[in-house]
Amino acid sequence: MTDVEVTPAERRLILWALAVVLLLSALDQTIVSTAMPRIIEDLQGMSMYAWVTTSYLLTSTVAVPIYGKLSDLYGRKPILIVGIVLFLAGSALCGLSGEFGDVPVLGGGMMQLVIFRAIQGLGGGALMSMTFAIIADLYPPRERGKLFGVFGSVFGLATIIGPFIGGFFTDHGTVTLLNHVVAGWRWVFYINLPLGGLAMFMVLYRMPSLKHGGGGRVDYVGAALIVMTVTPLLLALTLGGTSYPWDSPHIVGLFVAAAVSLAIFLWVESRTQDAIVPLHLFKLRTFSIATLAAFVVSMAFLGVVLFMPLYMQVVQGISATQSGVAMLPMMAGMIVSSTLSGRLVSRTGRYKPFMIGGGLVLIVGVILLTQIGPHTTSGDLAWRLAITGIGLGPTQNLFSLVIQNAVPMTELGVASSMSQFSRQIGATVGVAIFGTFLSHSLHDELPRHLPLMPGTAMHDVDLSQAQSQAMDEARIRASVDRALQERYLVIERAYTGDSAAVDEVLGDPQLPESLKGALRDGGIRARVHERLESQADHVAARLLDGKAGRDALLADDDLPASLKTHLANLPERALGSADAMQGVIPLFRASILAQEDAQVDAAIRQALATVRTAVAAYSTTLVAQIRDGTKEAFSLSITDMFSRALWIVVLGVLIMAFIPELPLRSRHSPVPAE
């Protein structure tokens, strides 16, 4: 495919350069995943969780076929260099997201990250597509099987060390520079800079220019129409059922806009000689079916990989570093199966059995993942992930080989880009769909498993707050203590006679009846007054019995000492005179009733002390209920998402069964007949 003679030594240098480029691209896709839960906790963006990945995939997806055509026109090397520069610029900006608060036009930190990830994706689209296009230039299909296995191992290496590195920096990378705290997760993006510099050096100084003599033009109109089709579709899938009802004018309008743009896109592409999506290639049965299968399988693949760290950190309660380590079994399974399948394809010349076999293993792995829960141990999760990884290996690395083997050599660049395009557009749609599934499920499950906070009559579901609290019990306790303190102040006002506060407490279904009982029928003052009236009547009746009555009162443990002192000082002559007692009794009654205010204050203090003790105990109970309920809700929502992913994987395997198995070319020979 290239008119430049490349020596074996140069080929080895090119492969090393491409390995570094692929490592850069693959690391970014895996290193961010374990940092995402902490990122959305810091930037308060749970509702935009999926968009951090979606924006990257959308721009890289649109850029892939453009880069493919540009590389056919002007060569692979300059396009790869442009891609690296854009990727590094986007990485630096991602690391700065939210550092300066809200920024005009760009908005808050989470929106900044989404926008900068889109810039990063513009560069990322060139990294992987150019890597596989250059391999296709230098090696015939039969030799590519082994190389794809090797490069699949590079990707596997990135998937092993990426989550661990991402988790390590997130947990331990926070530093203070010039009195400014730099959060650890920001180094997840900054680490791309030195690695990208190495990749740039090797490409500039170690890779020869692979010139191409292709003609034609770039289909910018087609690229714009792809954005106009995919963007409203993703917005509709993300906002539907959460921000707006599915049948609302907003969501229906977005779907209509996507459909109209798609129709225009197909019409334009069918009449464009150098189309961004060459529709004539879909006349090749192998190409069309393999592209469709890659699209479907990629939808499910990223749904599993992207949201698994969220399960580990939110539900299992492990750190970002530990979640990176916990992902190792899946990544190791991918490396082993990817390398082994690549070698077997090169040895046997067959690819279909390995693709379908990997798909069947993947189905088993996803079924096992649907059975995890809040009490699943790390060991129990590890073997399930390993099986899933073994299934992912062959299903991910062989699609490029199948597609490239099915097209003419003159269209290898476009075909390589289409292979990447189909997988990325599938991943883009998949992330949006699964993000929507997760949001919908959480909105349903959180109210079912969380107790109402004191003072509230209904749940106010805030996904960012729920996710942050699940990862930090101190946040739950602070939130509960704040809510209980607010209720305590209302209770305090109610106990002191505030009628509005009394009505509020009596109308709060979350407060126990034992607390409300003291406020009914006039409250504490009415009860104290009634008790003192009863006591005054009792004293009056006894005093009419003379000395015997006075002695009985002195022996009464319920009477206060001050009252007994007055009783003891009554002269016996007065006790024997009924007329004298008629004058004394009102004095005793007035003395007893005069204690009402003091006794009311004492009763209120005692009642509030009891309330404070009960509130402290209830706080501990409520914190545990919220913690466990949040984990249960997230667990059920994520496994529900895996259940939906299972059907997509099954569909992908069924489509793979219809891929024709063509002989692999051993040299740059004509396309095998289907």
Side-chain angles (χ1 to χ4, degrees), residues 472-486:
D472 186 358
E473 188 172 320
R475 288 177 181 251
I476 303 179
R477 186 167 298 281
S479 178
V480 168
D481 288 346
R482 184 168 54 251
L484 290 177
Q485 177 62 23
E486 292 174 357

Side-chain angles (χ1 to χ4, degrees), residues 470-660:
M471 294 178 63
D472 186 358
E473 188 172 320
R475 288 177 181 251
I476 303 179
R477 186 167 298 281
S479 178
V480 168
D481 288 346
R482 184 168 54 251
L484 290 177
Q485 177 62 23
E486 292 174 357
R487 299 316 293 161
Y488 176 79
L489 294 176
V490 175
I491 294 170
E492 188 176 45
R493 294 201 309 272
Y495 274 35
T496 55
D498 187 322
S499 59
V502 170
D503 292 339
E504 185 175 345
V505 171
L506 293 179
D508 189 344
Q510 304 307 310
L511 296 177
E513 183 59 32
S514 58
L515 186 148
K516 298 178 183 179
L519 300 175
R520 299 190 189 278
D521 302 324
I524 292 177
R525 180 170 291 277
R527 286 172 171 75
V528 170
H529 181 78
E530 181 181 354
R531 178 167 51 80
L532 291 177
E533 285 281 4
S534 176
Q535 188 179 77
D537 292 341
H538 175 64
V539 169
R542 283 297 188 179
L543 286 176
L544 291 176
D545 293 337
K547 184 176 182 301
R550 194 263 309 266
D551 292 342
L553 289 174
L554 291 174
D556 190 343
D557 293 335
D558 292 334
L559 293 182
S562 59
L563 180 61
K564 290 182 178 180
T565 300
H566 292 304
L567 289 171
N569 292 331
L570 282 174
E572 293 187 5
R573 184 179 56 187
L575 290 172
S577 172
D579 292 338
M581 285 298 98
Q582 292 298 330
V584 170
I585 287 174
L587 296 176
F588 274 96
R589 175 178 291 276
S591 175
I592 291 172
L593 294 180
Q595 302 174 33
E596 180 174 318
D597 288 342
Q599 291 203 19
V600 167
D601 290 342
I604 290 174
R605 287 195 299 272
Q606 182 179 1
L608 289 176
T610 302
V611 169
R612 281 194 293 270
T613 302
V615 165
Y618 182 52
S619 173
T620 302
T621 301
L622 195 58
V623 167
Q625 289 176 343
I626 294 175
R627 179 196 63 220
D628 297 341
T630 303
K631 292 180 182 295
E632 183 73 25
F634 268 86
S635 176
L636 290 172
S637 299
I638 292 173
T639 53
D640 176 69
M641 186 188 64
F642 288 158
S643 297
R644 298 171 188 266
L646 173 63
W647 294 107
I648 297 177
V649 173
V650 170
L651 176 61
V653 175
L654 290 176
I655 296 173
M656 275 189 259
F658 291 95
I659 297 177

